[in-house]
Amino acid sequence: MAVDEYSESAQAAPTPEEVGASYDEFGDLYGLILGDAAIHVGMWVTPGARTRAAGLTDLANLAMDRQTDHYIAALGLGPDDHLLDIGCGTGGPALRAARATGARVTGITVSGSQVELCRARADEAGLADRVGFALADAMDLGKEYEDESYDAAWAIDSFAHMDNRLAVLRQAWRVLRPGGRLLFTEFTKRGEPTPEHLAVWRAVWTSPPPQTPAALLERVTTEAGFHLERLENHTDSFVVTGDLMDIFYREHHERILARYGAETTANMDAAMPKLRELINEYMGYFVFVVRKPN
């Protein structure tokens, strides 16, 4: 997570191996600054929501669970469905979907440590018979992921890491049955972030530069061939998550220093204010629900 002076290499798209290594090394950090229910943006603003929380971490976990429940409802999952979780993180959303709907779930990630953690969580929850996890590159799924073998798929905050979104969209198309839905979230660009902001985004989130919602939609519907069903703007929740990440980082600073050492922590100290500024001023967050035609 070194934040060097901006260069062309800082804007280059990460490889799957680089993304996996980042989560292997910094998974503990993401848990500290996001909450431990999952690794994704939470739903902080929703009509009629009432929240009782014992502290900030509990509040963040409730927001992430609320967001996951929104995604489960948007896909309309049922007990006969098989969901592909693209970029399953630490397994929280996959397990929550299985509990809530009775569906089977297969989660994939490029992080070996995440696979181990997810499998342990599935065993502990008594869901290993319906929820499985594997090491796989969503941009190049192997033959074990058969054509038209999944009823639905989601990619919660994982498309941001992909250096070839069209490849992963085509893989999702291939494994989905006709009429199957894909839900994915995207961190988007608004305005013109500075080169320094983009360097921080790549360093902290291991991601290529964000694109505009229009450019992303064009790729999904025209080049990949999906039909758009829903497009939701959740930027307000992303901004709150960005603010909270900075607060959590400062609150857990001593633990982070002990875990990662002085040099890495100094780089993080420089990056976190810039990341918060980037999220507040130059980024958006959208939820896409698309369908493979019958």
Side-chain angles (χ1 to χ4, degrees):
M1 194 178 284
V3 183
D4 301 318
E5 184 176 351
Y6 179 76
S7 65
E8 289 300 320
S9 63
Q11 198 169 0
T15 64
E17 293 77 15
E18 186 179 355
V19 174
S22 178
Y23 277 105
D24 288 343
E25 183 175 3
F26 294 107
D28 294 343
L29 174 67
Y30 295 130
L32 286 174
I33 65 175
L34 281 168
D36 49 23
I39 307 178
H40 65 70
V41 171
M43 180 178 283
W44 297 95
V45 182
T46 184
R50 298 292 183 270
T51 300
R52 293 181 180 273
L56 277 179
T57 299
D58 192 23
L59 191 67
N61 289 338
L62 287 169
M64 283 189 283
D65 286 344
R66 187 183 299 123
Q67 189 81 327
T68 299
D69 291 343
H70 181 74
Y71 298 154
I72 293 169
L75 284 178
L77 295 174
D80 296 326
D81 290 330
H82 191 179
L83 171 70
L84 179 64
D85 184 350
I86 299 169
C88 58
T90 54
L95 296 173
R96 194 169 182 86
R99 285 194 202 96
T101 68
R104 290 184 297 142
V105 185
T106 297
I108 59 173
T109 174
V110 292
S111 166
S113 63
Q114 286 185 342
V115 171
E116 293 179 6
L117 176 59
C118 289
R119 288 173 176 170
R121 292 183 70 178
D123 286 337
E124 184 180 354
L127 291 170
D129 60 328
R130 286 193 287 117
V131 185
F133 300 94
L135 195 67
D137 178 0
M139 294 180 289
D140 187 20
L141 294 174
K143 293 181 180 179
E144 62 269 31
Y145 298 89
E146 298 177 357
D147 294 358
E148 300 184 2
S149 55
Y150 291 90
D151 302 285
W154 67 21
I156 304 173
D157 296 3
S158 60
F159 270 22
H161 300 302
M162 309 293 182
D163 66 343
N164 188 340
R165 280 178 174 80
L166 185 57
V168 70
L169 286 166
R170 286 175 171 163
Q171 287 292 297
W173 168 279
R174 179 179 68 79
V175 302
L176 279 173
R177 296 188 175 97
R181 290 184 176 90
L182 167 66
L183 180 150
F184 63 96
T185 63
E186 280 284 8
F187 302 100
T188 62
K189 181 181 76 168
R190 52 190 171 97
E192 292 299 328
T194 67
E196 291 77 16
H197 283 120
L198 294 177
V200 167
W201 177 246
R202 192 195 189 285
V204 176
W205 218 261
T206 323
S207 298
Q211 303 175 49
T212 65
L216 294 165
L217 184 58
E218 175 75 11
R219 174 144 296 185
V220 174
T221 58
T222 301
E223 298 184 56
F226 284 99
H227 290 174
L228 179 68
E229 288 198 339
R230 297 169 66 172
L231 178 59
E232 301 175 355
N233 186 343
H234 290 213
T235 300
D236 288 347
S237 285
F238 182 36
V239 169
V240 175
T241 296
D243 289 342
L244 192 65
M245 286 171 61
D246 188 51
I247 293 168
F248 272 143
Y249 179 80
R250 287 183 277 112
E251 185 176 281
H252 295 301
H253 193 269
E254 291 303 313
R255 292 177 62 183
I256 292 168
L257 179 62
R259 169 67 174 81
Y260 293 102
E263 182 178 353
T264 299
T265 304
N267 280 322
M268 296 182 198
D269 290 347
M272 292 305 294
K274 276 287 184 184
L275 178 66
R276 186 175 185 176
E277 187 176 280
L278 169 67
I279 292 171
N280 271 270
E281 296 185 16
Y282 297 109
M283 293 192 69
Y285 183 75
F286 284 78
V287 179
F288 294 73
V289 181
V290 298
R291 180 177 55 80
K292 178 177 178 177
N294 290 317

